[in-house]
Amino acid sequence: MDFGTLLIHNGHDYEETTGAIGVPVIQTSTFAQTDIDAHQEYDYARSGNPTRKALEDIIAQLEGGARGFAFGSGMAATSSVLGIFAAGDHVIVCEDIYGGTWRILNTFYRRFGLEATLVDTTNLDNIRKAVKPNTKALFLESPSNPLLKITDLRAASAIAKEHGLITIVDNTFATPYLQRPLELGADIVVHSATKFLGGHSDVILGLAVTATDALGRRVYAVQNGFGAVPAPWDIWLTIRGIKTLKVRLDAEQETAGKIARWLSTHPNVAAVSYPGLETHHGAAIHARQSYGGGAVLSFKTKTTAVARQFLSKTKLAAPAVSLGGVETIASYPVTMSHAAMPLAEREQRGITDTLIRISCGLETAEDLIADFDEALR
Ligand SMILES: *Cc1c(COP(=O)(O)O)cnc(C)c1O
């Protein structure tokens, strides 16, 4: 079945007792036990809830995994997955990982003795060199944030497998519509469903999918024990958002391509990063492992003044953090997502004062281009 059809007919087409086409919101904390001696599927909503189960089944199916898990945020998903490791373990992490992921590793998990090394995973040799006797996992993001760097997920997962490491991929930017890391050899996928899966800038939610039941049992132990689970209404909004993922991303991605090509010729723009552009450093690898360039791009203006002016003058892009909504968002990484990063480290990674990241929404591309042209003058 084509992915677009699977988004609509995903095993939760009708609710059995009423025929309802929408997944019911089961707003309850506990479930009456019909037989106090017998195990029943649901007993307490931290451990499981039918609304949550529907979303967990849907994301597992879309990513092609064995088990899905829903969490209260993308960071709750990532932190809970990292919770399967122990003090003394070591994790190799791609250099431009999501800021929150770096923060939880560098603060919370460091205090608990989980060690992390950041490397530039666009060069696979750096992964091999970073492996130590206590290395247990490789944590990747491709395309990465905010420079849209591409890691070869198939080759990186293969290196991880040689060394017995679990490969975890944050697939937030691509979504399973455009990229399915488990098919490329990864073991666990995590998502901020706050972004494209929810798709409407109205919910904070996270997801994880494991390739095997065995890994699923380890993640479930953390989900149930740690308890960072989402509320039924937020789950319902995410299920609804997922139904339109294909049409949204098709349109947003087409707009991103148009804007990236237009920006590439603009006199006040110095560089454009978009994996769908043939000139992008990782375009060939990205084309091999995914089904499109996605809806996020970043660009550098020629001067800082132009970047700052763009953010104050654009009328159609919201100057904000986050991405993946139906409304176009323009982020300024130096004062937003990467404000906490020391200047030298930022500059070394190319996160300069001239860098702007755009998440394309559903506005008409020509309107966005006209607005951006005005704002860049
Ligand atoms: C937003 C984001 C997260 C964190 O998700 P929250 O839902 O904000 O907790 C993790 N990874 C990536 C790539 C993100 O963009």
Side-chain angles (χ1 to χ4, degrees), residues 178-199:
L178 297 180
Q179 178 171 278
R180 294 186 282 282
L182 302 184
E183 290 175 0
L184 302 168
D187 303 291
I188 303 180
V189 167
V190 293
H191 279 286
S192 171
T194 309
K195 314 295 167 53
F196 288 103
L197 293 172

Side-chain angles (χ1 to χ4, degrees), residues 73-76 98 101 141 170 172-173 192 194-195 204-205 323:
S73 67
M75 277 318 303
Y98 178 71
T101 305
E141 220 176 287
D170 183 333
T172 299
F173 272 42
S192 171
T194 309
K195 314 295 167 53
I204 297 277
L205 194 134
L323 57 117

Side-chain angles (χ1 to χ4, degrees), residues 31 57 101 103 294 306 358:
F31 300 83
D57 288 349
T101 305
R103 188 167 53 206
V306 172
I358 304 286

Side-chain angles (χ1 to χ4, degrees), residues 20-357:
I21 278 183
V23 171
V25 177
I26 310 283
Q27 185 78 42
T28 189
S29 59
T30 190
F31 300 83
Q33 312 280 301
T34 48
D35 174 351
I36 58 163
D37 292 316
H39 168 80
Q40 82 183 36
E41 185 174 7
Y42 299 106
D43 54 16
Y44 186 59
R46 168 161 40 74
S47 308
N49 164 295
T51 313
R52 190 173 98 207
K53 174 81 165 39
L55 175 58
E56 294 179 331
D57 288 349
I58 289 167
I59 194 63
Q61 186 181 26
L62 296 179
E63 288 286 4
R67 286 187 68 179
F69 300 92
F71 297 91
S73 67
M75 277 318 303
T78 293
S79 304
S80 298
V81 164
L82 289 169
I84 71 174
F85 301 108
D89 287 350
H90 172 240
V91 187
I92 301 169
V93 184
C94 78
E95 188 175 62
D96 43 355
I97 194 79
Y98 178 71
T101 305
W102 175 236
R103 188 167 53 206
I104 197 84
L105 280 165
N106 207 24
T107 57
F108 183 90
Y109 277 111
R110 181 194 289 264
R111 285 204 305 281
F112 286 85
L114 181 66
E115 200 193 331
T117 306
L118 286 188
V119 302
D120 176 1
T121 53
T122 60
N123 179 349
L124 297 168
D125 280 338
N126 293 334
I127 299 175
R128 286 194 193 87
K129 282 188 218 140
V131 177
K132 305 199 288 185
N134 59 338
T135 307
K136 293 288 162 62
L138 173 64
F139 197 119
L140 301 172
E141 220 176 287
S142 183
S144 71
N145 181 30
L147 292 167
L148 293 304
K149 288 192 187 160
I150 303 301
T151 294
D152 187 332
L153 295 176
R154 196 189 295 273
S157 304
I159 294 170
K161 208 140 281 171
E162 271 170 43
H163 294 91
L165 317 182
I166 294 170
T167 302
I168 305 163
V169 177
D170 183 333
N171 202 29
T172 299
F173 272 42
T175 82
Y177 174 43
L178 297 180
Q179 178 171 278
R180 294 186 282 282
L182 302 184
E183 290 175 0
L184 302 168
D187 303 291
I188 303 180
V189 167
V190 293
H191 279 286
S192 171
T194 309
K195 314 295 167 53
F196 288 103
L197 293 172
H200 296 73
S201 309
D202 53 10
V203 68
I204 297 277
L205 194 134
L207 297 167
V209 179
T210 61
T212 64
D213 272 320
L215 271 175
R217 279 192 291 278
R218 290 169 71 183
V219 173
Y220 179 72
V222 184
Q223 184 195 40
N224 185 39
F226 202 74
V229 294
W233 279 110
D234 288 353
I235 294 167
W236 184 86
L237 281 167
T238 307
I239 292 172
R240 190 174 73 160
I242 286 175
K243 289 188 183 180
T244 56
L245 179 65
K246 179 177 186 288
V247 284
R248 282 186 286 110
L249 257 179
D250 281 345
E252 290 164 353
Q253 168 168 263
E254 195 184 328
T255 297
K258 283 184 186 168
I259 291 177
R261 283 189 293 278
W262 173 76
L263 283 171
S264 304
T265 63
H266 197 285
N268 287 343
V269 171
V272 180
S273 273
Y274 179 61
L277 284 182
E278 307 69 41
T279 48
H280 189 67
H281 80 93
I285 294 168
H286 187 71
R288 263 203 317 270
Q289 67 190 14
S290 78
Y291 303 98
V296 183
L297 61 96
S298 61
F299 67 98
K300 284 180 182 171
T301 52
K302 288 208 173 133
T303 65
T304 305
V306 172
R308 301 185 72 96
Q309 171 194 299
F310 175 85
L311 290 156
S312 63
K313 274 184 71 180
T314 170
K315 292 193 179 71
L316 293 182
V321 295
S322 199
L323 57 117
V326 294
E327 41 300 278
T328 295
I329 290 177
S331 312
Y332 193 45
V334 291
T335 64
M336 296 178 181
S337 54
H338 291 71
M341 189 177 278
L343 178 70
E345 205 168 320
R346 257 206 286 119
E347 297 266 324
Q348 184 239 319
R349 290 185 201 182
I351 303 168
T352 57
D353 292 347
T354 56
L355 181 72
I356 292 171
R357 189 191 73 196

